[in-house]
Each structure stands twice: as C-alpha cells, then as structure tokens.
Amino acid sequence: MMESSRSDESIQEMNDSSHWHPVSLRRSSVLPLRWRITHSPRWIVQVLVSELSLVAFVLLLVMVFSKKWLHAPGSHFRQHYPKNVSNRIHTSIHIMSLGLLHICRSNCPRPKDWKDSFKIWTNHPMFGIAKISFGLALELGLVLTIWLHLSYLPKLKKLHALRLVAIILSFCQATFIFFTLLLFAINLWTFELRKNISVPIGWGYFIGWLVFLLYVTCGVLCYFNYKNFWNPLHRVFGSMPCASLPAQ
C-alpha cells in the first residue's frame, strides 16, 4: 500500500511538472515576448500612423512644388475684355495656379505685373489667409512626422503623453489643411464671379484633399490607440494556445 501511494504521488508530480513546464518556458523565452510586442495591434497601428504621416508630408511637399493648382489652359472667358485687362486676369490665374507658396523657377510673372494684377489683401484676401494657413500646415506636418517617429525609440515607446500629443497634432494639421483648401476654393469662386470667367481646378489642389484624409486617419488611429481600442483583440489573440506562437 505504501509503495502504491508513493507511486501515485510521483505520477501526480510528473503530471504537474509536465503541465507547468511549457508555461514556464513560454514565459521565460525571449522570442514570444518580442513577438507579442511587435505583433500587438497597438504597435502595428503606431507604425502605420507614423508611415501615413510621412506619406502625407511628402504629398504636402508635392503640393508646394506643384504648378497645377489650377488648369490655366482650360480657362474660359464668358465676356470680352480689353487686352490689358485680359493680361492681368491671365497673370492672376497663372499666379494662383503656382500654389500658395509661389515657388516658381520658369515662366514666372514679372514683379511689376505681380503687384499690379495680384494685390493679395485688396483683391484676394482669402488667398492671403490660405497662404498663412498652408505655411502653418507645412511646419506642423514636419513636427508631426518627427513626433510620430519618436515612438520607435525604446524609452518613448510606452509614453502615454506621446499618443495624446499625436492626437492633438493630427487633428490640428487636418484642420489647417481643410481651411487652406476651403479658402483657396472660395477665393477662386469669388474671382470667377467678379471676372465672369471659368477656371478648372488642377491636380495639385486635389492632392490636398488626399492629404486631409490621411491626417484625419492618423488622428482617428491615434485616438483608438490612446483609448486602448485594440485591447479586446489583443486578449483574444493572446489567449490562443502555444501552437499559434512561433517555434521556440
């Protein structure tokens, strides 16, 4: 009887050790921990947001150097103007087609024509405000891109304030882009009404709406990360058996 009880106890100990041994190995192993960090939904979304902000900033630079905010050759005059007035209108259209920062390297209007035909705060106040808003958006886009890429640093990866600031910067950037595009369109619309002409919008302007959607997406994803929206999914995948983890 004594021998049978001892054998039963030894079998029970062996079962207990076989039950806890894989768990202890799984907890002490470095690979599953690294796998859980790099494959967690929060980390994946953080990487996605940082790269989306980089793409959006590159598109902002494309807008800066684009000369196709308006499709000037497609302009249509609904009434006849004297030659000097027509030249001033064409100069204004050409200036607006260069965008809001006026980076021009060739076929640029002369400074005298620029001042005479395109008095910003007199004839185009909305365009002047849009220039300021776009300049702020360009600077804030650079700051946001750098800020989101700080999450790759180990010491700042789990900083809670990093996500909160990213939310604020993303939505502020989207707001600047939205008002820039809106003011540019309002300025063009009032210009067309005053001069009784029609000027089609170019692809440089439509890129701005893509940039706006990218920054809104960044803000929403940052908000989900801040509110731990991915935790239920993380618990589901974290509760899967050891077979779903990579091989030791």
Side-chain angles (χ1 to χ4, degrees):
M1 292 292 294
M2 293 291 292
E3 291 179 356
S4 61
S5 62
R6 288 178 181 176
S7 62
D8 293 339
E9 290 177 357
S10 61
I11 293 173
Q12 182 67 27
E13 290 176 358
M14 290 176 63
N15 291 333
D16 294 340
S17 62
S18 63
H19 175 72
W20 291 104
H21 185 63
V23 177
S24 61
L25 281 177
R26 185 174 63 181
R27 290 180 177 176
S28 61
S29 177
V30 177
L31 183 59
L33 178 61
R34 184 182 302 170
W35 185 87
R36 286 195 297 270
I37 292 175
T38 57
H39 290 76
S40 65
R42 176 182 291 179
W43 174 249
I44 293 174
V45 171
Q46 184 64 36
V47 173
L48 176 62
V49 168
S50 61
E51 299 312 312
L52 284 179
S53 69
L54 180 60
V55 172
F57 183 71
V58 171
L59 291 178
L60 269 180
L61 294 179
V62 172
M63 292 174 64
V64 170
F65 291 99
S66 171
K67 299 179 182 179
K68 299 296 183 180
W69 282 64
L70 298 177
H71 184 59
S75 303
H76 176 66
F77 286 74
R78 296 190 178 95
Q79 71 181 60
H80 179 73
Y81 286 102
K83 186 176 180 180
N84 59 339
V85 177
S86 179
N87 289 337
R88 287 199 298 267
I89 293 175
H90 279 295
T91 302
S92 298
I93 294 173
H94 181 66
I95 292 172
M96 286 189 289
S97 68
L98 297 177
L100 295 168
L101 295 185
H102 293 316
I103 296 179
C104 181
R105 296 179 180 179
S106 61
N107 298 325
C108 300
R110 293 176 298 178
K112 184 177 183 302
D113 296 336
W114 188 301
K115 294 179 181 179
D116 292 341
S117 62
F118 202 79
K119 298 177 180 178
I120 291 182
W121 298 110
T122 303
N123 300 327
H124 304 274
M126 295 294 181
F127 192 84
I129 300 174
K131 283 172 63 71
I132 297 174
S133 178
F134 188 65
L136 293 175
L138 188 63
E139 295 175 2
L140 187 59
L142 177 61
V143 173
L144 176 61
T145 303
I146 296 174
W147 184 264
L148 289 174
H149 281 80
L150 289 177
S151 60
Y152 292 112
L153 299 178
K155 293 183 179 180
L156 299 176
K157 186 181 298 183
K158 295 184 178 180
L159 188 62
H160 199 61
L162 189 71
R163 304 187 191 103
L164 179 60
V165 175
I167 296 171
I168 298 172
L169 292 179
S170 297
F171 284 112
C172 287
Q173 176 71 353
T175 303
F176 280 130
I177 295 295
F178 176 78
F179 279 108
T180 297
L181 299 173
L182 182 64
L183 291 172
F184 183 87
I186 292 175
N187 177 78
L188 177 62
W189 179 64
T190 55
F191 178 73
E192 289 177 333
L193 287 180
R194 289 199 314 266
K195 304 300 182 181
N196 197 17
I197 61 174
S198 175
V199 184
I201 294 177
W203 59 264
Y205 175 83
F206 291 110
I207 287 179
W209 288 110
L210 177 59
V211 174
F212 169 74
L213 292 177
L214 287 175
Y215 280 120
V216 170
T217 303
C218 289
V220 172
L221 292 178
C222 287
Y223 178 78
F224 284 162
N225 265 3
Y226 181 75
K227 291 296 183 179
N228 297 328
F229 179 79
W230 318 110
N231 270 359
L233 292 176
H234 188 49
R235 293 194 191 100
V236 170
F237 289 106
S239 62
M240 294 176 68
C242 299
S244 63
L245 295 173
Q248 299 290 323

